[in-house]
Amino acid sequence: MQTKKEAIQQAIYQSAVNEFLEKGFEKASLRQIVKKAGTTLGNFYNYYENKEAVFASIVESAYIGMVQLIKNHHQWERNDELWDLTDVEVWRRELRKLILPMVPAITIPFVILIEGSEGTRFAHAKEDLLAVMEEHFMEHIEEFNPKYPNPQMAKVMAEQLVFGLVMIVKSNEDDEVRQQLIIEEILFFAIGVMGILKAF
Amino acid sequence: MQTKKEAIQQAIYQSAVNEFLEKGFEKASLRQIVKKAGTTLGNFYNYYENKEAVFASIVESAYIGMVQLIKNHHQWERNDELWDLTDVEVWRRELRKLILPMVPAITIPFVILIEGSEGTRFAHAKEDLLAVMEEHFMEHIEEFNPKYPNPQMAKVMAEQLVFGLVMIVKSNEDDEVRQQLIIEEILFFAIGVMGILKAF
Amino acid sequence: MQTKKEAIQQAIYQSAVNEFLEKGFEKASLRQIVKKAGTTLGNFYNYYENKEAVFASIVESAYIGMVQLIKNHHQWERNDELWDLTDVEVWRRELRKLILPMVPAITIPFVILIEGSEGTRFAHAKEDLLAVMEEHFMEHIEEFNPKYPNPQMAKVMAEQLVFGLVMIVKSNEDDEVRQQLIIEEILFFAIGVMGILKAF
Amino acid sequence: MQTKKEAIQQAIYQSAVNEFLEKGFEKASLRQIVKKAGTTLGNFYNYYENKEAVFASIVESAYIGMVQLIKNHHQWERNDELWDLTDVEVWRRELRKLILPMVPAITIPFVILIEGSEGTRFAHAKEDLLAVMEEHFMEHIEEFNPKYPNPQMAKVMAEQLVFGLVMIVKSNEDDEVRQQLIIEEILFFAIGVMGILKAF
DNA sequence: AATGAATGAGGGTTCATTCAT
DNA sequence: AATGAATGAACCCTCATTCAT
């Protein structure tokens, strides 16, 4: 049975998720959070140490997952022959295998971590991820067309891809749909990147 | 000759641009703006009616430009044969002609309008633009592959493209470079979109 | 045998002693007290009525002792010939006899009563004691040099002596040492007072 | 002419002096300060950066004076023959010459610095002064009676003397009286210390 | 044109105490 | 006997805006 204590904690947690998702850490108002959770400001501090603590309780595991992902980033595409494929549908199938394990990490807490961490000790998370991804795109450029004249696109691609994943999660609540769209998103990037690299 | 009055107005304006770009309208602090502009809080109100007025003065013409762009969106790609091209380099050349007139609109005020309008009467601008672009992507889907099973990608694409343009402007101060990257960005989208549509 | 109930009460009591000694009544935090006592805020109220009650339980007997002391203050130095002595060492010996009975009253609770009572019903205790002692010093002045031009020193002496006793207790945990220093303290005052009175 | 601005600043300053003197930094309430100054909490921040800033404005020069005093502490009693005097009245006269230059430093801000600094960056000032004074008393013990069995009294003396000066300032508003009492206070200590050292 | 004083609302946080379980 | 949830007031501080000078 769920005790009342847990019910309120849950209510605060959920209300905080909504508030942080909508406004980010700094703009989020504890007064707003507790009001929507049906309790009082003083009582909030019986459940969480402070504003950052409830934020941390939301994003912490997403952060840990992200750190893992970054640590293993050299394994992201092991089979190099992937890039030789020309049939998009085959590509899609191969990508799915590659991407599926990462999908469960891409959730609302992940979105809050990326978009709403300013002002917290997680503020560096977004930049860390972007740095790795930029480097990753850079490696593709080096490999496929070292003479590509716009390497600044690596950074743009990194930010854009992360932002795209964030948008997919925010706009779609169903897990199946999210999964599908994430595959499409990454396929889209793979095709686009190869495309602009080819010609020069 | 620039009078002193104009100089102060300019200083406030520029300081406000920096502040709004960095923090958005709501988080921006008038105290910070006037301090960096070398004047005082009270004097600010001799030049602008209030916080939103200076924001508007920055963003207004970018907004008008955007509205124009939206109004003419059906003309964005007049020559349909464009999509039949297979040589990327030719595509790039054609796109350049198409895109160049739009480039001057994609500036810092545009970025502020898109990213920092929350809490102002321009808050809807971003959504308006996204709506048109989503519709635009939708039309491409209808035209090239009506059976494409993930039409939600139209929205993702729209948000992503706008965000990419914003990132390009924020990360690159040189006009030439911005222009170049904007072309690449749109080329990237064109290729990517055609790619994921092809297979189904 | 000490029951568990008594053990907790003891723990709270001791924790409160430390907290009140360190911060005084008003700055002391019940949360801090119960945490260090290993129990909870709610449970505290099963043992004490409120914050002031636990303070009173610490300070009460010291207060009663002090009231007794004050009531008998005319007996503090019965043998007037004491003041005729010139040999310091003899003085020290006589003072010891006089002072020893008072020493057990000068303890940590006494210190808390004097230093930390603000905000409680014991707040007046310090002033009461000081008033009597000031009067006492005044009597010495009257007796030995009625023309002494700085009778305000009586008040200063009173405050200083009490404060000195407090410091001795706070800085020295050993009973023997405390006793020794209290004798020295009072001897120091006796000599000093006689000294400044003599000359005028 | 005193402008209104200065009047309010003065009112806040004076109100803060009273509050800090009475309660110390931590217990002092800005709300109380501004209420007594006849203004509002928000307006306080037009005059001072924060609570600690107004505190600093009160004690800063007293602190600087104290640091100077400590730096020169080896000069406190240059003429060693002072201690050979037996006539108290001569002693009093010599002490007066020695002490007078220090008297202007012993003011209300000094009292606040010593008694009310906890929680501020001046918190160490009291201990610094006490350490030097304890050492100073220790030197006297070493010089006049190295076998004195209660060297812990050096610390007690230090705390007591400082406290005595504080009390003199708090209890007497007239500068002449303060001066007179400070002389007596230090004479009292000189006599007392020499007295308890003599016998062993 | 320029200053900055003044206001009032809102921000996060700590507190002693009460109460249902 | 024990828990800790709940309350409401107080804490320091920042804010955009108004206004008298």
Side-chain angles (χ1 to χ4, degrees):
Chain A
M1 188 196 90
Q2 176 153 278
T3 71
K4 184 153 188 206
K5 165 188 168 180
E6 281 162 353
I8 295 270
Q9 171 121 12
Q10 264 300 309
I12 294 176
Y13 181 91
Q14 197 51 53
S15 178
V17 166
N18 296 337
E19 181 86 355
F20 287 135
L21 183 59
E22 193 180 337
K23 307 191 188 160
F25 177 78
E26 288 184 328
K27 279 197 206 170
S29 159
L30 282 189
R31 281 170 168 80
Q32 199 59 30
I33 290 173
V34 298
K35 186 186 284 182
K36 290 205 180 145
T39 183
T40 64
L41 197 44
N43 198 27
F44 168 87
Y45 288 89
N46 285 322
Y47 294 94
Y48 294 97
E49 207 186 339
N50 52 32
K51 191 185 183 184
E52 183 155 1
V54 62
F55 185 86
S57 84
I58 292 170
V59 302
E60 192 120 61
S61 70
Y63 176 69
I64 292 171
M66 204 199 80
V67 170
Q68 281 299 322
L69 201 76
I70 289 178
K71 223 185 277 179
N72 303 331
H73 76 274
H74 53 278
Q75 303 173 9
W76 286 354
E77 296 133 8
R78 284 149 312 191
N79 43 344
D80 284 340
E81 69 272 25
L82 185 62
W83 297 103
D84 302 328
L85 296 176
T86 49
D87 183 340
V88 171
E89 191 51 24
V90 178
W91 223 1
R92 193 177 260 122
R93 226 179 313 135
E94 291 302 314
L95 262 180
R96 170 177 292 270
K97 281 190 243 163
L98 226 57
I99 299 304
L100 273 187
M102 302 181 183
V103 169
I106 304 173
T107 57
I108 290 289
F110 172 78
V111 169
I112 295 175
L113 174 65
I114 295 299
E115 283 203 324
S117 287
E118 207 183 304
T120 77
R121 63 185 159 97
F122 299 97
H124 62 96
K126 184 183 181 179
E127 290 172 22
D128 290 354
L129 180 59
L130 287 175
V132 174
M133 294 190 62
E134 180 181 349
E135 187 191 359
H136 186 76
F137 278 111
M138 217 51 152
E139 286 166 11
H140 282 305
I141 294 178
E142 294 291 332
E143 184 177 2
F144 289 94
N145 187 349
K147 292 175 182 164
Y148 178 68
N150 304 113
Q152 303 102 318
M153 287 302 285
K155 188 179 178 190
V156 177
M157 293 294 149
E159 304 229 35
Q160 218 163 191
L161 175 47
V162 170
F163 181 76
L165 296 175
V166 161
M167 282 304 119
I168 288 171
V169 173
K170 283 173 86 168
S171 306
N172 301 276
E173 303 208 346
D174 184 89
D175 275 349
E176 289 290 329
V177 175
R178 280 185 192 169
Q179 198 183 95
Q180 195 72 12
L181 297 186
I182 289 170
I183 306 283
E184 288 300 294
E185 166 80 357
I186 293 176
L187 179 64
F188 165 78
F189 265 81
I191 295 172
V193 168
M194 296 313 292
I196 61 171
L197 286 182
K198 232 184 294 182
F200 281 96
Chain B
M1 192 198 84
Q2 177 160 276
T3 70
K4 187 174 179 197
K5 174 176 170 179
E6 282 164 350
I8 297 219
Q9 175 128 11
Q10 263 298 307
I12 294 176
Y13 180 91
Q14 196 52 52
S15 180
V17 166
N18 295 336
E19 182 84 355
F20 287 135
L21 182 59
E22 196 179 334
K23 307 188 187 163
F25 177 78
E26 288 185 326
K27 280 194 199 171
S29 160
L30 277 191
R31 282 169 165 78
Q32 199 61 31
I33 290 172
V34 298
K35 186 188 284 182
K36 288 202 180 150
T39 183
T40 63
L41 204 41
N43 200 27
F44 169 87
Y45 287 88
N46 287 322
Y47 293 93
Y48 295 97
E49 202 187 342
N50 53 29
K51 191 185 184 185
E52 185 157 358
V54 62
F55 185 86
S57 84
I58 291 170
V59 128
E60 194 121 58
S61 71
Y63 176 69
I64 292 172
M66 205 198 79
V67 170
Q68 280 300 322
L69 200 76
I70 288 177
K71 224 184 279 179
N72 303 331
H73 76 275
H74 52 278
Q75 304 172 8
W76 286 354
E77 296 132 7
R78 288 149 308 193
N79 42 345
D80 285 340
E81 69 274 22
L82 185 62
W83 296 103
D84 302 329
L85 298 176
T86 50
D87 183 338
V88 172
E89 191 51 24
V90 177
W91 223 1
R92 193 177 261 121
R93 227 178 314 135
E94 291 302 315
L95 261 181
R96 169 177 293 271
K97 280 190 244 162
L98 224 58
I99 300 303
L100 273 186
M102 303 182 183
V103 169
I106 305 172
T107 58
I108 291 290
F110 172 77
V111 169
I112 294 175
L113 173 65
I114 296 300
E115 281 204 325
S117 288
E118 206 184 304
T120 76
R121 62 185 159 98
F122 298 96
H124 62 96
K126 184 183 181 180
E127 288 170 24
D128 290 353
L129 179 58
L130 288 175
V132 174
M133 295 190 62
E134 179 181 349
E135 187 191 359
H136 186 77
F137 277 111
M138 216 51 149
E139 287 167 9
H140 281 304
I141 294 178
E142 294 292 333
E143 182 176 2
F144 290 93
N145 186 349
K147 293 176 181 165
Y148 179 68
N150 305 112
Q152 303 101 320
M153 286 302 285
K155 188 180 180 189
V156 176
M157 293 294 149
E159 304 230 32
Q160 219 163 189
L161 175 48
V162 170
F163 180 76
L165 297 175
V166 161
M167 282 301 119
I168 288 171
V169 173
K170 282 174 87 170
S171 305
N172 301 277
E173 303 207 347
D174 183 272
D175 275 350
E176 289 290 328
V177 175
R178 280 185 191 168
Q179 197 182 97
Q180 194 72 10
L181 296 185
I182 289 171
I183 306 285
E184 287 300 292
E185 168 79 358
I186 293 177
L187 179 63
F188 165 79
F189 266 80
I191 297 173
V193 168
M194 295 314 292
I196 61 172
L197 287 183
K198 230 184 294 181
F200 282 96
Chain C
M1 192 196 84
Q2 177 160 276
T3 69
K4 187 175 178 195
K5 173 176 169 180
E6 282 163 350
I8 298 222
Q9 175 128 11
Q10 263 297 307
I12 294 176
Y13 180 91
Q14 195 53 51
S15 180
V17 166
N18 295 336
E19 182 84 355
F20 287 135
L21 181 59
E22 196 180 334
K23 307 188 187 162
F25 177 78
E26 287 184 327
K27 280 195 200 173
S29 160
L30 278 191
R31 282 170 164 79
Q32 199 59 30
I33 290 172
V34 298
K35 186 188 285 182
K36 289 202 179 150
T39 183
T40 64
L41 204 43
N43 200 28
F44 168 88
Y45 288 88
N46 286 322
Y47 293 93
Y48 294 97
E49 202 186 341
N50 53 29
K51 192 184 183 184
E52 184 156 358
V54 62
F55 186 86
S57 84
I58 291 170
V59 128
E60 193 121 59
S61 71
Y63 176 68
I64 292 172
M66 205 199 79
V67 170
Q68 280 301 322
L69 200 77
I70 289 177
K71 223 184 279 178
N72 304 330
H73 77 274
H74 51 279
Q75 305 172 10
W76 284 355
E77 296 131 7
R78 286 147 311 192
N79 43 345
D80 285 340
E81 70 273 23
L82 184 63
W83 295 103
D84 302 329
L85 297 174
T86 50
D87 183 338
V88 172
E89 191 51 24
V90 178
W91 224 2
R92 192 177 262 121
R93 227 178 313 134
E94 292 303 313
L95 261 182
R96 170 177 292 270
K97 280 190 245 164
L98 223 58
I99 300 304
L100 274 188
M102 303 180 182
V103 168
I106 304 173
T107 58
I108 291 289
F110 172 77
V111 168
I112 295 175
L113 173 65
I114 296 299
E115 282 204 325
S117 287
E118 206 183 304
T120 76
R121 63 185 157 97
F122 299 96
H124 63 95
K126 184 183 182 180
E127 289 170 24
D128 291 353
L129 180 58
L130 288 174
V132 174
M133 294 189 63
E134 180 180 348
E135 186 191 359
H136 185 76
F137 277 111
M138 217 50 151
E139 287 167 9
H140 282 305
I141 293 178
E142 295 291 334
E143 183 178 2
F144 289 95
N145 187 348
K147 292 175 182 165
Y148 179 68
N150 304 113
Q152 304 100 321
M153 286 302 284
K155 188 179 179 190
V156 176
M157 292 295 149
E159 304 229 33
Q160 217 163 192
L161 176 48
V162 169
F163 180 75
L165 296 175
V166 161
M167 282 301 119
I168 288 171
V169 173
K170 282 174 87 170
S171 306
N172 300 277
E173 302 207 346
D174 183 271
D175 275 351
E176 289 290 328
V177 175
R178 279 185 191 169
Q179 197 182 98
Q180 194 73 11
L181 296 185
I182 290 171
I183 305 284
E184 287 300 293
E185 169 78 358
I186 293 177
L187 178 63
F188 165 79
F189 265 81
I191 296 172
V193 168
M194 295 314 291
I196 61 171
L197 287 183
K198 231 184 296 181
F200 282 96
Chain D
M1 189 196 89
Q2 175 153 279
T3 71
K4 184 155 187 205
K5 164 188 169 180
E6 281 161 353
I8 294 269
Q9 172 122 10
Q10 263 299 309
I12 294 176
Y13 181 91
Q14 197 52 52
S15 178
V17 166
N18 296 337
E19 181 86 354
F20 286 135
L21 183 60
E22 194 180 337
K23 307 190 187 161
F25 177 78
E26 287 184 329
K27 279 197 205 170
S29 160
L30 283 189
R31 280 169 169 78
Q32 200 59 32
I33 290 173
V34 299
K35 187 186 284 182
K36 290 203 180 147
T39 184
T40 65
L41 195 44
N43 197 29
F44 168 87
Y45 289 89
N46 285 321
Y47 295 93
Y48 295 97
E49 207 186 339
N50 53 30
K51 190 185 184 185
E52 184 155 0
V54 62
F55 185 86
S57 83
I58 293 171
V59 302
E60 192 120 61
S61 70
Y63 176 68
I64 291 172
M66 204 199 80
V67 170
Q68 280 300 322
L69 200 76
I70 289 178
K71 222 186 278 179
N72 303 331
H73 77 274
H74 52 279
Q75 304 172 9
W76 286 354
E77 297 133 7
R78 286 149 309 194
N79 44 344
D80 284 340
E81 69 273 24
L82 185 63
W83 297 103
D84 302 328
L85 298 175
T86 49
D87 183 337
V88 172
E89 190 50 25
V90 179
W91 224 0
R92 193 177 262 122
R93 226 178 314 134
E94 291 302 313
L95 262 181
R96 170 178 291 269
K97 282 190 242 161
L98 226 57
I99 299 304
L100 273 187
M102 304 181 183
V103 169
I106 304 173
T107 57
I108 290 289
F110 171 79
V111 168
I112 295 175
L113 174 65
I114 295 299
E115 283 203 325
S117 286
E118 208 183 303
T120 77
R121 64 185 159 97
F122 298 97
H124 62 95
K126 184 183 182 180
E127 289 171 22
D128 290 353
L129 180 59
L130 288 175
V132 174
M133 294 191 63
E134 181 180 349
E135 187 192 358
H136 186 76
F137 278 112
M138 218 50 153
E139 287 166 10
H140 282 307
I141 294 178
E142 294 290 332
E143 184 178 0
F144 289 95
N145 187 349
K147 292 176 182 163
Y148 179 67
N150 303 112
Q152 303 102 318
M153 286 303 284
K155 189 180 177 189
V156 176
M157 293 294 150
E159 303 230 35
Q160 219 164 189
L161 175 48
V162 170
F163 181 76
L165 297 175
V166 161
M167 282 304 120
I168 288 171
V169 173
K170 283 173 86 168
S171 305
N172 301 277
E173 303 208 346
D174 183 90
D175 275 350
E176 289 291 328
V177 175
R178 280 186 190 168
Q179 197 182 95
Q180 196 71 11
L181 297 186
I182 290 171
I183 305 284
E184 288 301 293
E185 167 80 357
I186 293 176
L187 179 63
F188 165 78
F189 265 81
I191 295 171
V193 168
M194 295 314 291
I196 61 172
L197 287 182
K198 230 184 294 181
F200 282 96

